[in-house]
Amino acid sequence: MYGASVDEVKQDGAEDPQKLAEFEARIARGEKIEPGDWMPADYRKQLIRMISQHAHSEIVGMLPEGAWITRAPSLKRKLILLAKVQDEAGHGQYLYHAAETLGISREEMVDMLLTGAAKYSNIFNYPTLNWADIGTIGWLVDGAAIMNQTMLARCSYGPYSRAMVRICMEENFHKKQGQEQVILLSQGTPEQRKMMQDAITRWWWPTLMMFGPHDTDSPNSPLLVRWGIKTRSNDELRQDFVNQMAPDLMALGLTLPDPDLKYNEASGNWEFGEIDWDEFWRVVKGDGPLNADRMAARRKAHEDGQWVREALAAYAEKQQALN
Ligand code: FAQ
């Protein structure tokens, strides 16, 4: 599934019980696993899958917000948005590098995205229809990403964990600027409040889907948990997110599109309704509102960048010849 480079590392000897026991003991002691260390083939494979899909999400994630750079309502907002979109590109770069440490090339990963063999987050297949969507992405989408990535900053693989620490710092700025915009618009003119409500209504459920399927329907979780990649489950993180966001959004007079949402005094949790899992899987499998557009945009960007890759390769060749 991940190309030749991963097949090559299959001789890692996942079946060697002693090596596996030593590896698991290191994880139990809280040690980080580093690129040159022995690791089971499935650990490597899972990390490549997850980190590369995470990198693709950052890169595709530039598109919904990028569409608003020319339409930002003021110079200040344009600068903030430009910086945010550039940050997402940087996150994609760190993450591709982190995945490369596991023996897969950038070309293989990009190829998997462009041929549809690799996934990216469901959320970026929804359209950004009005300016309030930008604040909503900042507060809700970055907020959900941070919830998940704070956990990943403690994961057992050193390069991923360190990338997450830096990425979370930047995502926190993204979240705060989004929160500020949502607060402003929800206290603005009747038209601004309407626009804000419309954005929250459309983004609420897709954001909850970002955490992935229920724990009972999550085939990758058992291995990820066993090897300290995930330390909290999809459902636990989703619940934390609802607990954090629901009261804050409602305090602004916004209505969440879930008639089942209610606070449970006994558990201290906000109970919420069932996610439309048919919609989730449709979007994940490529049939969401904008999957085709997102892929067309990425393919065009890749083709337009061909001359840059050729120029870099020619320069590297020339430098090598000079040395
Ligand atoms: N979208 O067995 P599980 C961001 C797939 S970054 C699409 O539970 P796992 C920054 C999953 O891949 C957001 N597919 O999977 C930003 C698997 O299929 P596979 C991205 C999904 O890995 C903000 C299948 O379903 N963050 O937003 C999704 O244990 C603003 C079964 O699922 C990361 O990638 C989904 N939401 O848990 C940028 C963080 N959920 O691969 C711009 C790293 C599940 O076996 C603007 N990743 N699937 O064919 C993770 O933490 C995990 O991979 C999960 C899924 C939690 C996403």
Side-chain angles (χ1 to χ4, degrees):
M1 182 187 174
Y2 297 109
S5 47
V6 173
D7 287 341
E8 276 160 29
V9 297
K10 282 240 167 80
Q11 310 107 17
D12 269 356
E15 62 290 337
D16 181 331
Q18 200 186 333
K19 280 186 170 170
L20 183 61
E22 282 163 18
F23 170 84
E24 293 193 331
R26 287 188 65 194
I27 291 179
R29 287 196 297 271
E31 282 177 34
K32 296 288 179 208
I33 306 300
E34 298 297 338
D37 297 348
W38 184 89
M39 59 185 81
D42 281 342
Y43 179 81
R44 190 185 297 273
K45 202 166 153 182
Q46 278 289 349
L47 278 170
I48 290 177
R49 177 190 69 83
M50 222 170 116
I51 303 174
S52 65
Q53 293 189 166
H54 192 169
H56 300 327
S57 301
E58 302 281 358
I59 297 298
V60 178
M62 294 161 73
L63 295 168
E65 289 176 296
W68 279 88
I69 291 173
T70 53
R71 293 178 283 169
S74 69
L75 180 60
K76 177 181 142 188
R77 293 293 173 197
K78 193 193 286 278
L79 287 171
I80 293 173
L81 187 56
L82 256 177
K84 181 179 190 304
V85 173
Q86 282 178 340
D87 284 353
E88 309 300 359
H91 299 172
Q93 301 299 332
Y94 305 149
L95 289 165
Y96 283 128
H97 277 304
E100 279 171 331
T101 64
L102 291 154
I104 187 165
S105 71
R106 176 83 59 112
E107 289 73 21
E108 284 173 284
M109 289 186 271
V110 171
D111 192 52
M112 286 175 63
L113 171 67
L114 299 182
T115 56
K119 295 185 168 68
Y120 59 89
S121 183
N122 68 302
I123 196 75
F124 303 118
N125 293 304
Y126 291 87
T128 38
L129 300 180
N130 67 47
W131 174 251
D133 289 26
I134 300 304
T136 308
I137 291 181
W139 197 8
L140 269 64
V141 174
D142 282 273
I146 292 169
M147 190 68 85
N148 168 267
Q149 289 170 187
T150 303
M151 163 191 80
L152 294 172
R154 291 188 291 269
C155 84
S156 57
Y157 188 56
Y160 194 25
S161 134
R162 290 187 288 272
M164 284 296 101
V165 171
R166 177 155 178 193
I167 288 175
C168 280
M169 283 179 192
E170 293 180 355
E171 301 283 28
N172 263 309
F173 160 75
H174 299 169
K175 182 180 164 187
K176 281 181 190 147
Q177 64 82 38
Q179 181 176 15
E180 191 236 347
Q181 289 198 67
V182 174
I183 293 171
L184 265 180
L185 290 175
S186 62
Q187 294 173 350
T189 63
E191 208 175 2
Q192 285 172 328
R193 291 207 297 272
K194 200 169 148 218
M195 189 165 78
M196 195 62 253
Q197 179 61 59
D198 172 54
I200 294 292
T201 303
R202 283 180 290 106
W203 288 91
W204 177 252
W205 286 111
T207 306
L208 296 195
M209 294 176 195
M210 285 177 71
F211 295 94
H214 281 311
D215 299 345
T216 44
D217 300 324
S218 167
N220 297 295
S221 282
L223 264 191
L224 296 175
V225 170
R226 173 174 170 185
W227 287 331
I229 299 171
K230 269 185 182 175
T231 51
R232 315 248 352 257
S233 79
N234 296 359
D235 284 326
E236 281 170 1
L237 290 171
R238 185 167 21 241
Q239 182 65 61
D240 281 1
F241 178 79
V242 174
N243 288 350
Q244 192 180 86
M245 293 305 301
D248 282 3
L249 290 167
M250 288 190 293
L252 293 171
L254 294 162
T255 306
L256 296 176
D258 180 356
D260 296 324
L261 186 71
K262 61 173 187 304
Y263 186 64
N264 181 325
E265 294 274 353
S267 67
N269 285 326
W270 281 83
E271 290 174 359
F272 54 99
E274 193 51 86
I275 285 172
D276 180 347
W277 293 111
D278 288 341
E279 175 180 332
F280 171 76
W281 288 114
R282 241 189 349 266
V283 174
V284 168
K285 289 180 181 162
D287 196 19
L290 286 182
N291 294 60
D293 295 54
R294 298 300 186 225
M295 279 301 95
R298 284 312 313 154
R299 272 189 217 104
K300 182 173 183 317
H302 192 67
E303 282 158 20
D304 290 350
Q306 180 62 26
W307 71 270
V308 180
R309 291 189 294 279
E310 281 169 9
L312 284 172
Y315 179 76
E317 210 174 298
K318 201 162 182 184
Q319 288 297 104
Q320 217 165 19
L322 289 174
N323 289 335

